[in-house]
Amino acid sequence: VYKYPLTIKQITAHVSKAEVTPLMLRDNELEIGYIELHRESESTYRLCRVLIADESVRGKGYGKVLVNLAIDHAKKAFNATTINLAVFEHNQNAVNCYQSLGFNVIRKEAGLRSFNGDRWNLLYMELNNI
């Protein structure tokens, strides 16, 4: 989606697309996390760019809150029935979070990306009948 170096112009252009819904989780003035809903069809949305701000707020359950809020928004605002996502298999904290919310692995793509000589597997997960 983005090219290095990242610019405000790129971000603004991306989140301005009709199929992208950016959401921010805040606790008072503290920005906790960010997530995007990407419309794939009338009833299916993909969770993208799930980010928790920094180490000081990680491990406190905010990821689960953020994903639940995005699911709820997709259901209420768009009548979504299916939510999907992709996550690197080695990101076990994220995988566990998604599984605890009812997401199931529907496909695995082996060695899709390579970083520092390591091949990373990608898991495709889905939540149906939300």
Side-chain angles (χ1 to χ4, degrees), residues 43-45 71 75 80-84 101-106 125-130:
S43 62
T44 302
Y45 284 75
I71 292 168
K75 184 177 178 179
T81 58
T82 302
I83 303 287
N84 62 47
L101 295 171
F103 283 85
N104 295 301
V105 175
I106 58 169
M125 302 180 80
E126 191 169 84
L127 178 65
N128 294 299
N129 303 316
I130 61 168

Side-chain angles (χ1 to χ4, degrees), residues 15 29 63 71 90-91 94 98 104:
V15 300
E29 296 300 313
I71 292 168
H90 71 272
N91 188 351
Y98 301 136
N104 295 301

Side-chain angles (χ1 to χ4, degrees), residues 62-77:
Y62 286 119
K64 208 177 262 192
V65 170
L66 182 64
V67 172
N68 267 327
L69 289 172
I71 292 168
D72 191 53
H73 185 75
K75 184 177 178 179
K76 290 179 180 174

Side-chain angles (χ1 to χ4, degrees), residues 35-53:
I35 194 168
E36 289 176 7
L37 287 169
H38 187 277
R39 185 180 68 237
E40 292 188 338
S41 73
E42 289 299 314
S43 62
T44 302
Y45 284 75
R46 176 175 292 270
L47 298 180
C48 300
R49 281 162 282 292
V50 181
L51 308 167
I52 298 299

